[in-house]
Amino acid sequence: MKKTIKSVMLIAAVAMFASCSSMTTPIAATSNPVGNKCGVASTTKILGIFGGSSNMGINKAAKLGGITQISHVDFVKKSFLGFLVQTYQTVVYGE
Amino acid sequence: MEKFLLFISVFVFFINADGQSLDNRYFSYVSNKGVVYFFYPQKLSKVEGIENFCYDLTYVANSDLATLNFTIETKNIVEIAELGICYANDTIKIEDYSMLFRDVVKNGYETRITSTIKKTNLLNIYGSSETMCFVLTLKDGRICKASYNRKRWKKDSSVFTKILNSIY
């Protein structure tokens, strides 16, 4: 019985650490037509503590993409190795 | 029972590991000019003369040119005189480039450059077994380089070729 519990826990751990989930949510949309430029501002957090730049705002993403007219904005959250590594991205589309 | 569960664990691991490969590389959406393919920013680990180098690509279906944007982080303010991409024994000189912005960051300056590159050149670059290398000649004569490490290039180049070939 103990061995079975251990094995089930092992499967759960492997599934959690091997999984990579991604969730995209809409943030904003304007009346501008959907342009062919795209800018991404992102930050990666390890254990929710360690991470790079925390500036992942719309302004940063638009600057990186050279966008002056924003059509819409998405927010993407990605998780790797379960909850250990998480990447947050602001994606700005426009012209 | 134990062996069966172990087999399931290994199976789950590889199924998940394989399933995530292309989602993190690019995404596409429909604009008024057609389907746009955006390749996520790629940070290059081997750099010379600069602190950081990161590039991304945007390609609109049915066009000859892709937009190549890149960010360089340097200790001092730099002015680029020439820009090229080396692969195998060939160099592609990029003529059409301009600066988007320059910011002051913790370790110096961050400069964002926008340029264009032909799709055929991209296919040649990613189709090469030799790693691609960005070569920036500065106005003061210094040469800065940024390239993939060999292991990552082998993996990334095949994925990028696969994606580019799938785009009409």
Side-chain angles (χ1 to χ4, degrees):
Chain A
M1 183 64 183
K2 252 185 177 179
K3 274 186 180 178
T4 310
I5 292 169
K6 271 185 185 175
S7 303
V8 170
M9 283 170 74
L10 177 73
I11 291 177
V14 167
M16 190 185 82
F17 283 105
S19 68
C20 164
S21 67
S22 175
M23 188 179 72
T24 304
T25 50
I27 295 291
T30 69
S31 56
N32 294 325
V34 179
N36 53 6
K37 283 184 180 176
C38 189
V40 176
S42 63
T43 188
T44 301
K45 295 278 180 198
I46 299 164
L47 285 169
I49 308 165
F50 311 105
S53 164
S54 55
N55 186 355
M56 37 162 286
I58 293 174
N59 179 42
K60 175 85 174 177
K63 257 174 87 177
L64 289 171
I67 297 165
T68 52
Q69 285 186 312
I70 296 169
S71 60
H72 62 290
V73 184
D74 279 342
F75 177 72
V76 184
K77 186 183 170 188
K78 291 175 183 174
S79 301
F80 307 95
L81 300 172
F83 58 89
L84 295 181
V85 183
Q86 290 186 318
T87 300
Y88 304 95
Q89 294 175 326
T90 302
V91 187
V92 173
Y93 307 83
E95 201 57 71
Chain B
M1 182 67 177
E2 188 100 316
K3 278 182 182 173
F4 175 72
L5 288 169
L6 191 68
F7 171 76
I8 294 287
S9 302
V10 172
F11 182 73
V12 164
F13 181 85
F14 282 105
I15 285 288
N16 281 328
D18 188 51
Q20 68 195 23
S21 59
L22 288 188
D23 246 16
N24 297 321
R25 308 289 181 157
Y26 84 110
F27 64 83
S28 61
Y29 66 96
V30 180
S31 80
N32 51 0
K33 288 186 179 169
V35 183
V36 181
Y37 296 85
F38 180 79
F39 295 79
Y40 279 112
Q42 303 288 316
K43 192 175 177 182
L44 303 189
S45 54
K46 282 174 73 178
V47 288
E48 283 175 39
I50 45 178
E51 305 304 306
N52 275 313
F53 186 98
C54 188
Y55 79 95
D56 60 65
L57 284 163
T58 311
Y59 177 72
V60 183
N62 290 322
S63 62
D64 298 330
L65 294 170
T67 304
L68 169 69
N69 290 344
F70 59 90
T71 307
I72 50 170
E73 202 180 304
T74 51
K75 281 182 180 168
N76 305 307
I77 292 175
V78 292
E79 297 278 349
I80 297 170
E82 266 182 36
L83 173 64
I85 300 175
C86 293
Y87 70 99
N89 294 321
D90 211 348
T91 302
I92 295 163
K93 202 173 171 184
I94 295 172
E95 308 276 0
D96 179 23
Y97 64 88
S98 61
M99 190 172 82
L100 281 175
F101 66 87
R102 181 186 289 134
D103 273 344
V104 180
V105 291
K106 194 180 171 186
N107 298 322
Y109 301 90
E110 189 181 76
T111 311
R112 181 82 168 162
I113 309 282
T114 183
S115 62
T116 53
I117 185 167
K118 282 183 180 172
K119 189 193 175 190
T120 48
N121 285 337
L122 278 178
L123 281 167
N124 289 337
I125 290 167
Y126 288 117
S128 166
S129 57
E130 294 295 316
T131 57
M132 80 190 275
C133 179
F134 287 85
V135 182
L136 291 84
T137 309
L138 306 182
K139 282 188 177 163
D140 61 11
R142 282 187 297 137
I143 293 174
C144 303
K145 290 179 181 178
S147 61
Y148 279 86
N149 68 42
R150 190 162 283 279
K151 195 179 169 187
R152 194 177 147 208
W153 174 250
K154 208 176 170 184
K155 195 175 164 187
D156 280 18
S157 60
S158 64
V159 170
F160 274 68
T161 304
K162 194 175 167 185
I163 297 167
L164 283 168
N165 280 327
S166 74
I167 301 170
Y168 52 92

